[in-house]
Amino acid sequence: GSSVRLADFAGTPLVVNMWATWCAPCVKEMPAFDEVATERGDEVHIIGVNVGDTADEAAAFAADLGVTYPQYTDPDGVLSTEFGVTQLPATAFVDADGTVIELRQGSYTADELRSAIDDHFPTRGTQP
């Protein structure tokens, strides 16, 4: 019910994963985001943003999947339009000062997401 702005996350790198309930690749990757969010939560914020569904639909869907990382909604697609998203899932990497470093359209595995975090936020990630 409350609103949040990306600026509210300033000071810590942010990974914004945009998804929808009807998007099979989105659903498939959500457990990977949950796993990495649990591991890296003290280094980088990882949030999910549902595009197009109601807040109640998105919350129930995420709960049914068992994901625990923070979820928000973009029912009118304002954020996804601002980011230039043309397909879901889409993941934006935003540095601590609010600059979008990269937008990737397509899904991630947990290992790919860890690697992307290490690449985009090298001082925050755990390099092998």
Side-chain angles (χ1 to χ4, degrees):
S2 62
S3 295
V4 67
R5 299 173 313 133
L6 291 183
D8 295 339
F9 296 96
T12 303
L14 177 66
V15 178
V16 181
N17 178 248
M18 290 163 272
W19 62 279
T21 58
W22 50 262
C23 169
C26 300
V27 175
K28 184 177 178 183
E29 78 174 357
M30 288 177 80
F33 274 80
D34 195 57
E35 178 182 324
V36 176
T38 299
E39 296 169 2
R40 301 277 181 99
D42 58 338
E43 304 163 19
V44 60
H45 290 294
I46 297 177
I47 65 171
V49 176
N50 174 275
V51 179
D53 295 304
T54 68
D56 289 341
E57 290 169 336
F61 194 85
D64 286 347
L65 284 177
V67 297
T68 58
Y69 61 103
Q71 297 292 318
Y72 302 93
T73 58
D74 184 22
D76 300 322
V78 174
L79 180 65
S80 59
T81 298
E82 186 174 313
F83 279 164
V85 173
T86 58
Q87 70 179 35
L88 295 174
T91 303
F93 294 86
V94 183
D95 69 14
D97 69 5
T99 302
V100 177
I101 299 169
E102 180 188 18
L103 174 71
R104 174 176 164 172
Q105 298 181 92
S107 59
Y108 275 100
T109 65
D111 286 340
E112 290 169 339
L113 181 57
R114 286 182 195 99
S115 180
I117 289 170
D118 290 343
D119 290 346
H120 294 308
F121 312 121
T123 60
R124 301 281 182 158
T126 48
Q127 298 288 338

